[in-house]
Amino acid sequence: MLITAVDSITPALEHTKQQLFKPFRIAQWTKLAFVGLLAGELGTNGFNRSNFQFPSHGGAPPRFPPSLPVDHALLAALIAAAVIAALAIGIILMFVSSVMRFILFDSIVTRECHIRWSWSRRLGPGWRYFAWKLLYLVLTLAGIGVLVGIPLALAFAKGWLKQPKEHLPALILGGVILFLIFFTFFLASAVIFVLTKDFVVPQMALENIDVMEGWRRLWPMMNAEKGAYAAYIVMKIVLSIVAGILIGIATLILGLILVIPSAALGLLAVLTGKSAGLTWNPHTIALAIVIGCMLLAFFLYLVSLVSVPAIVFFPAYSIYFFAPRYPHLAAVLYAPLPAVPAAARFRSP
């Protein structure tokens, strides 16, 4: 029996409760946090970095020469190396994220997170999903280039950029139209990515097919139920906003709980150190940096644990919506749990 996007919320919540709290296992929470964050199930949170200034001796500030000799060849080589390194790291993380997407799928369906077991068996679909994401990224960047380049070329050819004040109405109208086109483009790109992640990845995991074959099968399903899939997208946007607000509030509370005692202990340590005759030197500075990094790592770990219910809920939500429409997924999802790891029910890629 097909269920709606709204009806899928209840089994997804029940699944999340069963997997995370019956029983509660901190090791499973830690694994799911690691897999979910690497799989890109949740957006990254930004943290402002404070600049700590240590007291300096009085006197005039140091004077630097007005110009320093610059080795332009060395600077260009360093910039090129930095760009290449950033691209390499980005590609590696994209591949890891692609495989982790399948590991997260296995973890939700089997209600057990086995990273090493799933990694060795999901490399094949992970490579295919990774290749699709690279193509998706290239096409998205090309689309942005076309959307930006053509209007700029037209505006430059008409002379609007040389004398913008004389063509202000045309520039404003063109900017509004360009914004609407950009919004439509990014919305369509995001919907394609989400539908691939939610409904094509399960097909790849269960039948060892590629992304294009998965879309070839998904498209008739969507055409037959346009309203149901549109409601799913809208509902997922709403749920994502709600989850983001809840996680943000929980992160703020955790931050206050951790920062206030840490600040009090830090102040006490500074006052105690001063009374004992300690001053800022390389050793005390290094110790302060190490303690600060440990506190930050502990805070990030707590934030990742807070995100675990959302990491489990959203894949479960898509799975329970899609399972009645995809018999292979329903057979795995509703099969009785065996004594051995349930992931063994999957067909190896």
Side-chain angles (χ1 to χ4, degrees):
M1 177 180 178
L2 300 182
I3 60 176
T4 66
V6 176
D7 294 335
S8 303
I9 297 176
T10 300
L13 286 173
E14 182 63 26
H15 180 107
T16 303
K17 182 172 65 174
Q18 293 286 337
Q19 181 165 355
L20 296 182
F21 298 101
K22 296 183 179 181
F24 174 82
R25 293 169 295 171
I26 190 63
Q28 280 291 307
W29 279 62
T30 302
K31 290 180 181 180
L32 286 167
F34 177 75
V35 171
L37 294 176
L38 282 181
E41 185 58 34
L42 293 177
T44 56
N45 296 315
F47 299 93
N48 295 325
R49 294 179 297 174
S50 302
N51 295 321
F52 295 95
Q53 295 182 351
F54 298 99
S56 58
H57 298 287
R63 294 181 175 272
F64 296 96
S67 60
L68 297 174
V70 178
D71 188 340
H72 296 285
L74 178 60
L75 181 61
L78 291 175
I79 293 175
V83 171
I84 293 174
L87 288 175
I89 293 174
I91 291 174
I92 292 173
L93 289 177
M94 183 182 292
F95 170 71
V96 172
S97 173
S98 301
V99 181
M100 286 294 178
R101 171 55 52 184
F102 290 92
I103 296 177
L104 181 60
F105 172 78
D106 289 347
S107 301
I108 302 304
V109 173
T110 65
R111 296 176 173 84
E112 289 285 342
C113 185
H114 300 284
I115 298 177
R116 184 162 43 181
W117 190 95
S118 293
W119 179 273
S120 62
R121 289 159 175 78
R122 294 306 187 188
L123 286 176
W127 273 111
R128 290 190 287 273
Y129 186 46
F130 167 70
W132 178 85
K133 288 205 296 185
L134 276 181
L135 178 62
Y136 169 86
L137 178 61
V138 171
L139 293 178
T140 301
L141 294 177
I144 294 174
V146 170
L147 291 177
V148 173
I150 292 179
L152 286 179
L154 292 175
F156 182 80
K158 292 181 176 293
W160 294 354
L161 300 180
K162 294 180 180 179
Q163 297 176 334
K165 292 183 179 180
E166 297 181 3
H167 305 90
L168 195 58
L171 288 174
I172 293 176
L173 179 60
V176 171
I177 295 174
L178 184 60
F179 170 78
L180 294 176
I181 294 175
F182 258 107
F183 178 78
T184 304
F185 175 77
F186 280 113
L187 181 62
S189 301
V191 168
I192 290 173
F193 187 83
V194 169
L195 292 177
T196 303
K197 174 173 64 74
D198 290 351
F199 302 138
V200 174
V201 164
Q203 300 180 62
M204 299 174 67
L206 297 177
E207 298 191 69
N208 197 25
I209 60 176
D210 58 22
V211 176
M212 300 311 297
E213 176 62 21
W215 263 105
R216 190 188 66 80
R217 300 179 180 186
L218 178 63
W219 191 252
M221 303 182 198
M222 294 176 58
N223 282 332
E225 295 185 83
K226 297 183 180 68
Y229 282 91
Y232 171 84
I233 294 171
V234 173
M235 186 56 62
K236 188 158 188 179
I237 293 173
V238 173
L239 292 172
S240 299
I241 294 174
V242 173
I245 294 173
L246 293 178
I247 292 174
I249 294 173
T251 300
L252 178 61
I253 294 173
L254 280 176
L256 293 175
I257 293 174
L258 187 63
V259 166
I260 294 176
S262 299
L265 291 175
L267 180 61
L268 179 62
V270 170
L271 294 177
T272 304
K274 283 187 176 182
S275 64
L278 296 177
T279 59
W280 287 115
N281 56 60
H283 298 289
T284 55
I285 293 174
L287 179 62
I289 292 174
V290 170
I291 295 175
C293 290
M294 291 175 62
L295 289 174
L296 179 60
F298 181 66
F299 175 70
L300 293 177
Y301 172 68
L302 292 180
V303 171
S304 67
L305 292 183
V306 168
S307 305
V308 167
I311 290 174
V312 173
F313 170 78
F314 282 103
Y317 176 64
S318 64
I319 286 172
Y320 278 96
F321 176 83
F322 193 50
R325 297 163 172 85
Y326 180 47
H328 286 83
L329 180 57
V332 173
L333 182 63
Y334 296 111
L337 295 177
V340 296
R345 288 177 286 162
F346 292 131
R347 182 187 305 173
S348 299

